[in-house]
Amino acid sequence: NSTLSGLTDGLSVMAWVRPDTLSGVHRILAHARTSSTDGFGFGTSGSGLRFTAFGVGDYGTLDTALVLGQWQHVAVVFQGGSATFYLDGAARETITGTAPIQANADDPLLVGTTTQVGSAQPLEAFDGTLDEVRLFHRARVPDEVRHYAQQRVAGVAALELAFVSNSPGSTFYNGALPLGTVLYLPLDASTGGPGGGGETRFADLSTNALLATCSGSSCPATGALGHSGQAPRFDGQNDYLALADH
């Protein structure tokens, strides 16, 4: 259980988000807290951003304003107990601290929510659409964060232009993902699904080859227009994806 549960410092979380609600706290990527009160969570807080080292403390922005109904790239880099927040590739605020994250080896990492302490009940669920969720066991530098916030070609049905993409993870890019990539969920397509019953699965394209899964009413709606291709829309109630650790 080292792939996701062993992250305590020197990590980066990024995603494209299109929020439908900007009041309260809504998690993009967070550990469940069913069996442990440890781990971390990243998401929105009001119109700002929040990173939480569960059981240790909250890091929240004061002067960063997200916009309802628009695609925005959000990121946090946690290093040495301090959190630097980015919006659309620009570093906005650094909140200083001293304590690392307490590792959570007992609970899964969730996309779109955390849970109540001692329960599997979703808490602080994200309301809106998520795309291109990435987790790195490395503190990405500003130029690297800016790179991921650049616009990319999306929804291409036909193309009569020759080019070489320099965007790792792009449909048109065949290079290896950057060193330290722990998780990369494009969230473009799922397998299985409510229509056929059973479990819905979204592939992780990192070398860890994890699966983000859901079943029944916990599954977000699929097929929404994403920032790149398609993306799942989370209802802010009980939609989430769970990642089983290695």
Side-chain angles (χ1 to χ4, degrees):
N1 290 321
S2 61
T3 303
L4 301 177
S5 62
L7 299 175
T8 60
D9 197 17
L11 64 89
S12 307
V13 188
M14 307 178 190
W16 283 96
V17 302
R18 189 180 187 275
D20 291 331
T21 299
L22 285 175
S23 60
V25 178
H26 301 276
R27 299 295 180 177
I28 298 165
L29 188 69
H31 280 97
R33 294 180 291 170
T34 307
S35 301
S36 169
T37 58
D38 298 325
F40 68 87
F42 175 52
T44 61
S45 178
S47 62
L49 297 170
R50 175 178 291 188
F51 182 82
T52 303
F54 292 131
V56 177
D58 289 312
Y59 303 75
T61 61
L62 299 174
D63 299 311
T64 302
L66 280 75
V67 180
L68 283 172
Q70 294 185 18
W71 283 108
Q72 296 137 100
H73 187 266
V74 297
V76 63
V77 176
F78 186 80
Q79 175 75 21
S82 296
T84 299
F85 295 92
Y86 292 78
L87 178 60
D88 291 330
R92 296 300 180 96
E93 300 177 54
T94 296
I95 311 300
T96 58
T98 58
I101 299 162
Q102 299 299 310
N104 185 340
D106 301 309
D107 295 300
L109 196 62
L110 306 177
V111 178
T113 195
T114 181
T115 67
Q116 297 179 16
V117 174
S119 169
Q121 182 66 33
L123 181 70
E124 300 175 344
F126 188 82
D127 184 11
T129 312
L130 296 174
D131 205 357
E132 301 281 332
V133 176
R134 300 174 188 265
L135 173 63
F136 303 90
H137 194 184
R138 179 180 172 185
R140 311 308 302 197
V141 300
D143 282 348
E144 292 173 319
V145 177
R146 189 178 306 113
H147 167 79
Y148 287 106
Q150 293 175 346
Q151 295 293 321
R152 297 195 341 211
V153 177
V156 177
L159 192 66
E160 296 182 358
L161 176 67
F163 69 95
V164 176
S165 172
N166 63 359
S167 180
S170 166
T171 304
F172 309 107
Y173 184 85
N174 294 320
L177 292 173
L179 184 68
T181 302
V182 174
L183 176 72
Y184 170 39
L185 294 172
L187 297 176
D188 285 319
S190 60
T191 57
E199 188 177 66
T200 299
R201 298 174 292 276
F202 292 85
D204 162 35
L205 298 189
S206 79
T207 56
N208 293 314
L210 304 174
L211 285 174
T213 64
C214 64
S215 59
S217 62
S218 71
C219 288
T222 57
L225 182 63
H227 175 264
S228 177
Q230 298 182 340
R233 189 201 172 281
F234 296 76
D235 66 2
Q237 300 295 321
N238 63 348
D239 288 353
Y240 65 91
L241 304 175
L243 287 147
D245 205 346
H246 280 329

